Amino acid sequence: MLHPAIARMTLEQKAALLSGADLWHTRAIDDAGVVSRTLSDGPHGVRLQDASQDHLGIYGSAPATAFPTGAALGSTWDPDLIEEVGAALGREARDLGVDVLLGPGINIKRSPLCGRNFEYLGEDPFHAGVLGAAWVRGVQSRGVGASLKHFAANNQETERLRVSAEVDERTLREIYLPAFERTVAEAAPATVMCSYNKVNGTFASEHRWLLSEVLRDEWGFEGYVVSDWGAVHDPVASLRAGLDLEMPSTGEASPAAIVAAVESGELDEAVVDRAVARILGTHDRFDALRGATDALDIDAHHALARRAAAEAAVLLSNRDGALPLHPTDGGMIAVIGAFATEPRFQGGGSSHVNPTRVDVALDEIRRLTPRPVEHAPGFTHDGTGGDELATHAVALAARADAAVLFLGLPEEDESEGFDRAHLNLPAAQLDLLERVAAVCERVVVVLSNGGALALGGVVEHAEAVLEMWLGGQAAGGAAADVLLGVAEPGGRLAETLPLRLEDTPAFLNFPGDRDRVLYGERIYVGYRWYDAVDRDVLAPFGHGLSYTDFELDELDVEIPDPTGPCATVHVRVTNTGERAGATVVQLYVSDPVATLDRPASELKGFAKVKLAAGESERLTFELDERAFQFWSRHGWLAEAGEFVVRIGMSSRDIRAERSIALDLPASLASLTVDSTITEWLAHPQGGVVVQGILGAMAANSGGAGLSEGPGLRMVEQLSLSRLFQLAGRDGKAEVERILAGLTVGAR
Ligand code: BGC
């Protein structure tokens, strides 16, 4: 049913509603009782600007809590925590009069060079989907809509306004779309934001297949699609494809184009009504959710930001138990590095937040320990400062019991709008580290960066390395908490850390040429790639150390019905160390034999667990059919046979595995006249028929068998009809007869 206000609106008024009033608001239609709505960035803090300002974070905005960025939140692997952060974001948005918060950003990290990786959750679609849904649920629990972005295949900043992502359907379905699909299904976001780029030659803003067929018809999305800011080129074409709201305003141009198209008969007015109905209906839905709300507690939000930043902190290495530092015993702690006093905790561009306050790591460390703490900057953010600063820092480290170096990427290295060119820390920082390591036995590095770095030199010279990402306004406090053992390093890598840029999956195909980028690595993104090419990495996906130890045992897989591809997995996790701690138990599924190439294993479940020393917990994971499927020419498909369920602490730290056999009927759907011999043989019924045919053909010719060995290899890529034809028979007719003879409904 269309929205009641539509009947009260003229065509001009309806067209006016389909593009913004200015940068951040929709238009009000007073006669029809339609009020203006406010949309605001997002994702990890509310960036409310006044309407005259920019959308790229250059000008200021109202103060709001800068929560950890997407890269950090992704590293928490904790949907409950992310939901809590989402609810706080929603609470602040509501207080500032924001109707739609432009986030979360859930694009998959295809290359570590993408300038916006700090806003995104990780390299795995299952992980990003679970956490994206939690984020949306949290924001929307406060009656504020979320905007899931950027849909789709927006994985770089270079030429982002016009580049065409050339990507095959299987790769889209298995890697770049599932996080959107899961979030839509589980959390019903108010809006989805289409990206700037083209997908296979068509702008996402005009992509009917993406915006209508996949998003709405297949996934059941019921909110409205908003354009990224300035992503619309032809408002009528976009509307027809399934876009509803163009942002920001184009003045009278877009409404006039829509009215003209309706008047000339080029555009059906029903398409306009449909978009208006989606926009108004979505806002009504959220108005209805806006009950009374508790008082806004900015201090509590800062505390939440601090807790979340510690939960995101990944302890990459920790030789000889260098961390945690003893809170009371020991000599002087040298805190070195500009990042210790001038923190970098968020990235540049549209997500840039004006923080309510900022924790300074040096001050927070001093607050937590009575040990003497001295500071030397060692270098400056902009690389000036020269040798004198470094020499002073080395002299300080030589007198210290432990040196904690706060290193990181300078602001100008990563932001929305451009990609990075390399994965290195500034050379001056690495030199300083080496010099400090030569004079001090316990060297700890704390990192502030949004995108992955090649950290070989850092891991070599430091006893412990703590990756804080761009951890939000309370990251300084969280770093102090983790360093001194007040908090656990709760984070696990949501992206593989490579040894070198040259090892990364998209190295040869990133960022493409001027208007085209080929996704040539296909489904082999992140750990799927490193596993497929058997490449060493600095640290694998899922890695992160704890201050305690965990063991996994009693792995058990139940298959309630082997013909329905679902399984329940149980495993026991025990904290075998001497202090309380947290870990992330990860479940990967592999399909060792399949008719298509498949990744060696794929994440299909995870759980963050907090346990006291000696405590155990039995975890249960439910695997649905998607956990076993791949995208085939015929849609999602799981093939009968062996699957392996692996359970571990990272993609390369598998502690136990079980083989299971599934007797799936799903592949029955796949046989056609064009199916190859291989496809027939993989089919439970068809396989029997074709074995018989191959046997008979070989017997008739008196030649070598076609049903095995080199004979089979020679014919397995032929279609059955072609094989008949080569034997002088009417192949098409014969295969049609065979297909008709298979159990009805089984083909
Ligand atoms: C970004 C979006 C953002 C929008 C509004 C665009 O440049 O890509 O993520 O929400 O601006 O600021």
Side-chain angles (χ1 to χ4, degrees):
M1 203 194 61
L2 285 185
H3 194 276
I6 293 180
R8 300 195 290 273
M9 288 157 79
T10 63
L11 173 62
E12 286 69 16
Q13 289 174 322
K14 290 186 285 188
L17 207 59
L18 303 186
S19 55
D22 55 35
L23 256 177
W24 302 115
H25 301 95
T26 62
R27 297 186 211 234
I29 311 287
D30 296 336
D31 329 346
V34 172
V35 297
S36 164
R37 302 293 182 162
T38 304
L39 295 86
S40 180
D41 284 307
H44 42 259
V46 185
R47 190 172 67 91
L48 186 73
Q49 296 188 297
D50 80 44
S52 61
Q53 290 177 338
D54 71 308
H55 78 102
L56 286 176
I58 297 161
Y59 296 104
S61 53
T65 308
F67 285 97
T69 60
L73 289 178
S75 301
T76 67
W77 292 64
D78 189 340
D80 296 339
L81 175 66
I82 291 181
E83 196 167 330
E84 225 183 303
V85 169
L89 286 165
R91 180 68 191 82
E92 292 192 24
R94 186 152 161 201
D95 202 62
L96 291 166
V98 171
D99 297 284
V100 174
L101 186 70
L102 303 175
I106 60 166
N107 294 97
I108 294 297
K109 299 184 188 190
R110 174 174 177 249
S111 163
L113 296 178
C114 172
R116 265 183 119 167
N117 274 1
F118 73 88
E119 284 186 63
Y120 301 146
L121 295 167
E123 71 186 21
D124 179 82
F126 177 81
H127 164 273
V130 171
L131 300 188
W135 191 317
V136 171
R137 271 197 305 274
V139 171
Q140 297 195 162
S141 68
R142 300 310 193 121
V144 169
S147 191
L148 196 59
K149 66 190 189 182
H150 309 84
F151 191 60
N154 174 198
N155 309 97
Q156 65 187 61
E157 292 300 281
T158 307
E159 297 287 356
R160 67 171 167 156
L161 298 181
R162 60 181 179 180
V163 74
S164 175
E166 302 288 315
V167 49
D168 64 86
E169 182 170 0
R170 180 176 177 204
T171 302
L172 279 172
R173 296 284 191 169
E174 291 189 20
I175 303 294
Y176 296 103
L177 298 185
F180 288 94
E181 180 180 7
R182 181 175 291 276
T183 307
V184 165
E186 290 184 1
T191 81
V192 167
M193 184 191 291
C194 76
S195 55
Y196 286 122
N197 54 289
K198 294 177 186 155
V199 180
N200 295 323
T202 304
F203 279 113
S205 62
E206 294 175 14
H207 214 295
R208 205 194 128 68
W209 180 77
L210 276 175
L211 302 187
S212 294
E213 290 174 35
V214 172
L215 181 62
R216 292 189 186 276
D217 303 346
E218 287 185 31
W219 300 350
F221 175 63
E222 288 183 343
Y224 65 86
V225 177
V226 58
S227 71
D228 199 343
W229 266 231
V232 171
H233 300 263
D234 173 345
V236 174
S238 286
L239 202 54
R240 229 191 257 115
L243 183 103
D244 302 299
L245 175 65
E246 175 184 3
M247 286 301 284
S249 173
T250 58
E252 291 317 307
S254 294
I258 292 168
V259 169
V262 172
E263 284 173 348
S264 71
E266 191 201 329
L267 181 70
D268 189 343
E269 190 166 349
V271 176
V272 175
D273 290 352
R274 187 183 68 184
V276 171
R278 287 171 182 158
I279 296 171
L280 297 181
T282 301
H283 287 300
D284 284 355
R285 170 158 80 96
F286 283 88
D287 287 348
L289 289 173
R290 292 188 164 199
T293 194
D294 45 332
L296 176 61
D297 184 345
I298 280 299
D299 291 337
H301 285 189
H302 185 80
L304 172 60
R306 182 164 177 155
R307 178 155 58 87
E311 290 289 345
V314 184
L315 184 58
L316 293 172
S317 61
N318 194 15
R319 286 198 291 273
D320 307 324
L323 285 182
L325 301 172
H326 199 284
T328 49
D329 298 349
M332 187 262 284
I333 302 172
V335 172
I336 293 170
F339 292 84
T341 50
E342 300 159 50
R344 181 160 176 262
F345 56 88
Q346 61 175 334
S350 61
S351 67
H352 203 270
V353 175
N354 177 9
T356 56
R357 61 191 224 223
V358 177
D359 284 358
V360 170
L362 176 64
D363 301 343
E364 299 301 321
I365 292 170
R366 286 193 165 128
R367 241 173 236 138
L368 291 181
T369 179
R371 289 172 66 176
V373 176
E374 293 184 40
H375 172 64
F379 58 89
T380 56
H381 278 291
D382 63 5
T384 57
D387 199 48
E388 206 181 315
L389 282 184
T391 303
H392 176 68
V394 175
L396 178 68
R399 292 192 284 114
D401 221 36
V404 184
L405 273 77
F406 283 80
L407 310 180
L409 281 182
E411 202 153 345
E412 37 310 343
D413 269 26
E414 51 183 354
S415 160
E416 176 177 344
F418 59 88
D419 293 317
R420 282 189 294 160
H422 59 79
L423 300 181
N424 305 325
L425 277 175
Q429 295 185 31
L430 290 173
D431 285 351
L432 175 65
L433 168 61
E434 245 181 86
R435 288 173 64 188
V436 166
V439 299
C440 180
E441 277 186 7
R442 189 188 280 213
V443 177
V444 174
V445 167
V446 180
L447 292 165
S448 303
N449 50 287
L453 294 170
L455 291 170
V458 177
V459 169
E460 182 190 334
H461 292 293
E463 272 63 52
V465 180
L466 183 65
E467 174 59 85
M468 294 298 297
W469 306 110
L470 297 180
Q473 66 181 45
D481 291 343
V482 175
L483 289 169
L484 287 150
V486 175
E488 264 279 298
R492 300 295 180 267
L493 290 175
E495 57 192 300
T496 309
L497 297 189
L499 287 168
R500 314 173 309 156
L501 178 59
E502 292 82 347
D503 294 338
T504 60
F507 178 66
L508 290 177
N509 283 309
F510 184 95
D513 50 33
R514 202 168 62 89
D515 54 7
R516 194 174 162 276
V517 52
L518 180 66
Y519 283 39
E521 69 289 348
R522 302 171 44 240
I523 52 173
Y524 297 100
V525 173
Y527 64 91
R528 290 166 170 80
W529 164 261
Y530 298 101
D531 289 350
V533 297
D534 195 16
R535 190 91 25 113
D536 285 341
V537 298
L538 183 108
F541 176 77
H543 169 77
L545 302 174
S546 164
Y547 287 155
T548 178
D549 294 310
F550 292 90
E551 268 174 25
L552 295 173
D553 61 4
E554 297 185 1
L555 172 60
D556 165 48
V557 184
E558 271 171 47
I559 309 167
D561 170 9
T563 62
C566 296
T568 304
V569 180
H570 302 285
V571 69
R572 189 176 67 161
V573 52
T574 305
N575 178 350
T576 54
E578 275 156 24
R579 48 181 289 157
T583 194
V584 177
V585 178
Q586 300 159 41
L587 188 159
Y588 297 84
V589 171
S590 4
D591 182 4
V593 183
T595 47
L596 289 188
D597 59 311
R598 298 200 68 181
S601 67
E602 298 183 277
L603 183 76
K604 298 297 173 185
F606 61 87
K608 189 156 196 177
V609 205
K610 294 183 182 151
L611 295 174
E615 198 188 350
S616 291
E617 188 177 330
R618 201 164 149 76
L619 303 175
T620 300
F621 299 92
E622 297 295 347
L623 297 178
D624 61 9
E625 45 179 13
R626 185 64 70 79
F628 302 97
Q629 291 172 325
F630 57 90
W631 182 260
S632 75
R633 278 187 296 142
H634 311 284
W636 289 109
L637 184 68
E639 291 175 326
E642 187 198 3
F643 291 87
V644 184
V645 173
R646 304 200 150 102
I647 199 100
M649 301 303 200
S650 86
S651 60
R652 292 198 171 174
D653 180 11
I654 298 300
R655 304 285 177 92
E657 60 180 49
R658 289 282 175 280
S659 251
I660 54 171
L662 294 180
D663 180 16
L664 305 170
S667 57
L668 294 182
S670 64
L671 290 180
T672 69
V673 263
D674 297 321
S675 298
T676 62
I677 300 293
T678 303
E679 287 161 355
W680 277 90
L681 290 173
H683 185 285
Q685 285 186 35
V688 177
V689 177
V690 166
Q691 283 285 2
I693 293 170
L694 294 176
M697 283 179 132
N700 287 344
S701 69
L706 287 182
S707 53
E708 57 185 15
L712 175 60
R713 295 210 58 195
M714 203 171 68
V715 298
E716 65 192 359
Q717 293 180 46
L718 291 179
S719 66
L720 184 57
S721 55
R722 180 73 58 195
L723 187 68
F724 281 140
Q725 207 186 338
L726 292 175
R729 295 156 62 172
D730 181 353
K732 191 158 176 271
E734 287 205 39
V735 174
E736 274 168 359
R737 259 197 310 280
I738 297 171
L739 284 170
L742 294 180
T743 316
V744 178
R747 279 191 283 147

